[in-house]
Amino acid sequence: MRETAGERWGRRIVLTLLTLFVVIPLYVMVTSAAKPLQDVQNGFTWWPSRPTLQPFIDMWSTVPLARYLVNSLVVSSIEAVCSVAVAIFAAFAVSRYRFRGRGVFSVTVLSTQMFPGILFLLPLFLIYVNLGNATGIELYASRTGLVITYLTFSLPFSIWMLVGYFDSIPRGLDEAAQVDGAGPLRTLFQVILPAAVPGVVAVTVYAFMTAWGEVLFASVMTDEGSRTLAVGLQGYSTQFNVYWNQIMAASLVVSIPVVVGFLALQRYFVAGLTAGAVK
């Protein structure tokens, strides 16, 4: 069907509005980061009267931003790797084998996505505190505890998503590998995983982003030494002042690694999401 002139102009208008909806906040963020604090606190202007890069320098000393950045990178990376590693084996078992309790396991994994995360906050907090008092294993206010916390809600979705992707891979590949003498693990690593790279990448990106931007659990389960970026950015708001230009500068800087990584893996991410959700 040919597109009419009205439909074409309607599409252009909608795309233009969506573009402005995304670009204008980014532009305001960039220009605010290049303004002195006094200019940001005064009336809004579209262009800095005195452009400066000082906020990009001061943001590292106002709060320990480097420490928060390292904490976020460590926690998000370890959580993503652990989530993907466990999800691969669990999804392979659910997708390729029929065993007692398979249906119950699948429903349980999926049903965890129905509950808001705040329901798990108090139980996890009490478990960590009591476990530390009883055994000396300090999970509260530690990176390890934060990784375990994030796994509780990223792992179920990762398993469900990989099950859908593994189901889309023809079982004939498994049978051909078995004819060649390959066992289950060899079939998984040499046959299934190479064909499931988009799905694995999509799960990795999802798990990483879930931990990177999480605020609720990080605000309760961390202290000054283990605090992540999502919570640490609140440090620019003090009792006497709010350093809006430094907040904008810090937000831009900490977004660069995520944006670059997402753009680099975008092709795999979209393919993995589509296959896992539709097929």
Side-chain angles (χ1 to χ4, degrees), residues 240-274:
F240 304 101
N241 211 343
V242 179
Y243 299 95
W244 290 109
N245 54 348
Q246 295 185 36
I247 294 177
M248 298 297 102
S251 300
L252 288 173
V253 170
V254 302
S255 299
I256 291 176
V258 179
V259 172
V260 171
F262 182 83
L263 292 177
L265 301 174
Q266 182 181 14
R267 177 167 59 92
Y268 298 103
F269 182 67
V270 175
L273 279 179
T274 303

Side-chain angles (χ1 to χ4, degrees), residues 71 75 79 128 139 141-151 211 214 217-219 221-222 226-228:
N71 288 339
V75 170
E79 184 265 346
Y128 288 175
L139 294 179
S142 68
R143 294 175 180 175
T144 303
L146 204 56
V147 169
I148 297 174
T149 300
Y150 291 154
L151 283 174
E214 201 280 325
F217 288 90
S219 62
M221 298 292 190
T222 60
S226 58
R227 191 162 295 161
T228 58

Side-chain angles (χ1 to χ4, degrees), residues 1 53 55 176 183 192 219 231 245:
M1 297 178 60
L53 295 179
I192 303 299
S219 62
V231 181
N245 54 348

Side-chain angles (χ1 to χ4, degrees), residues 87-249:
I88 285 174
F89 290 101
F92 178 72
V94 174
S95 175
R96 289 306 195 255
Y97 296 97
R98 298 295 180 267
F99 52 89
R100 186 183 299 274
R102 177 179 179 271
V104 175
F105 175 78
S106 301
V107 172
T108 302
V109 167
L110 189 58
S111 64
T112 57
Q113 304 301 307
M114 298 170 54
F115 303 99
I118 195 172
L119 293 181
F120 302 98
L121 181 59
L122 182 58
L124 286 174
F125 175 80
L126 294 177
I127 290 173
Y128 288 175
V129 172
N130 293 329
L131 185 63
N133 295 334
T135 65
I137 301 176
E138 296 295 338
L139 294 179
Y140 173 73
S142 68
R143 294 175 180 175
T144 303
L146 204 56
V147 169
I148 297 174
T149 300
Y150 291 154
L151 283 174
T152 59
F153 50 86
S154 68
L155 185 57
F157 183 82
S158 300
I159 295 174
W160 173 75
M161 185 172 171
L162 278 182
V163 168
Y165 200 92
F166 284 174
D167 286 342
S168 68
I169 299 176
R171 296 181 181 272
L173 297 177
D174 302 41
E175 298 172 357
Q178 294 173 3
V179 171
D180 291 338
L185 289 180
R186 184 181 173 187
T187 301
L188 172 62
F189 287 107
Q190 296 186 359
V191 177
I192 303 299
L193 282 184
V197 169
V200 173
V201 171
V203 170
T204 305
V205 173
Y206 164 79
F208 184 90
M209 293 301 298
T210 298
W212 183 267
E214 201 280 325
V215 175
L216 176 62
F217 288 90
S219 62
V220 176
M221 298 292 190
T222 60
D223 58 6
E224 184 63 26
S226 58
R227 191 162 295 161
T228 58
L229 281 172
V231 181
L233 291 178
Q234 299 177 5
Y236 291 106
S237 176
T238 66
Q239 182 179 359
F240 304 101
N241 211 343
V242 179
Y243 299 95
W244 290 109
N245 54 348
Q246 295 185 36
I247 294 177
M248 298 297 102

